Amino acid sequence: MKIPDNSVLLVVDVQIDFCPGGNLPVPDGEKVVPIINRLGQAFERVVATQDWHPRNHVSFASNHSGAKPFDTIRGKEGEPILWPDHCVPGTPGAEFHPDLDTLAFDLIVRKGMDPNLDSYSAFFENDHKTPTGLHFYLEGLNVKTVYLTGLALDVCVFYSAMDALKLGFDTLVVEDACRGIDTPPGSLADRLEEMRTAGARILEAVELEEH
Ligand code: VGL
Ligand code: ZN
């Protein structure tokens, strides 16, 4: 595989709740697993994130009377910010997909633990200033290039990619190693375009393979 030095593979939220059968399923979410496992073998460093919410988390519709999942009550127009309960530590849904090669992970970053603040990005919580610690880790290891994979392409992968760009990393999104929820419909295409415009490269896993 053609992977530049000082690169990291970032595996975003490949958890049971984001796969079919889970509480917040991403269509075909489980299909990313074999691709990510293969990519993980080729990288010197692999970092995974886990969405990790207490039961009283502000992003759960169940904690707002009268609200239902995918309602928008604040945040940007058209952006769903209330979700079904998901990724609660101690529940099966919070665990990584069972076929994911977690032995390849150098670091696992958990995010979204503050009951009053969501965290889509692997780098900052949704106030866009509280760090998760990932930036310090990557900087400390002189990482220059971040390859993103995982779930959901139009939520946590998207916000992670946008922050990676802002932080000055060369940012590549391995599209077939990601799946999106596309809610509302069309948002997935918009966000791919937004990432491209901001300077991310969108590629397929096969492009990393040696010919
Ligand atoms: C995610 C919605 C809520 C994600 C996490 O991992 O993309 N989406 N929490
Ligand atoms: Zn979440």
Side-chain angles (χ1 to χ4, degrees):
M1 294 213 187
K2 296 179 290 192
I3 318 278
D5 290 343
N6 304 319
S7 295
V8 71
L9 184 71
L10 185 59
V11 180
V12 177
D13 298 359
V14 182
Q15 290 162 270
I16 289 174
D17 268 341
F18 294 122
C19 292
N23 286 338
L24 178 39
V26 178
D28 292 333
E30 83 289 1
K31 301 221 165 112
V32 303
V33 171
I35 303 172
I36 291 172
N37 287 348
R38 192 157 44 84
L39 288 173
Q41 295 299 313
F43 278 78
E44 206 178 319
R45 285 186 197 277
V46 184
V47 174
T49 62
Q50 267 178 313
D51 213 36
W52 204 253
H53 301 310
R55 282 204 182 277
N56 61 344
H57 197 253
V58 65
S59 78
F60 294 173
S62 63
N63 291 322
H64 301 263
S65 60
K68 46 186 198 317
F70 306 103
D71 277 356
T72 310
I73 57 164
R74 55 187 173 86
K76 270 191 257 166
E77 203 177 321
E79 186 177 316
I81 67 134
L82 291 180
W83 307 101
D85 293 16
H86 63 280
C87 299
V88 175
T91 68
E95 300 300 322
F96 288 116
H97 186 285
D99 297 332
L100 190 66
D101 179 14
T102 59
L103 298 181
F105 299 160
D106 293 280
L107 176 74
I108 297 169
V109 176
R110 289 170 172 165
K111 61 184 180 63
M113 287 136 97
D114 180 340
N116 298 311
L117 186 58
D118 210 354
S119 187
Y120 292 156
S121 162
F123 292 96
F124 296 102
E125 301 197 20
N126 285 7
D127 60 2
H128 304 294
K129 53 176 197 265
T130 306
T132 62
L134 180 58
H135 184 210
F136 303 107
Y137 176 84
L138 297 182
E139 223 175 23
L141 293 172
N142 200 31
V143 169
K144 304 288 183 208
T145 307
V146 177
Y147 287 77
L148 290 107
T149 63
L151 309 172
L153 177 51
D154 42 354
V155 188
C156 289
V157 175
F158 168 76
Y159 285 99
S160 300
M162 295 304 278
D163 277 346
L165 288 162
K166 277 184 216 140
L167 293 169
F169 293 103
D170 284 333
T171 302
L172 299 94
V173 179
V174 188
E175 191 176 2
D176 54 336
C178 301
R179 289 295 185 283
I181 49 176
D182 202 25
T183 304
S187 58
L188 178 55
D190 289 350
R191 286 185 160 178
L192 278 168
E193 199 43 47
E194 231 179 292
M195 288 190 280
R196 267 196 204 96
T197 305
R201 201 176 133 207
I202 315 289
L203 76 169
E204 303 290 316
V206 67
E207 292 178 58
L208 292 171
E209 250 130 16
E210 260 152 6
H211 297 286

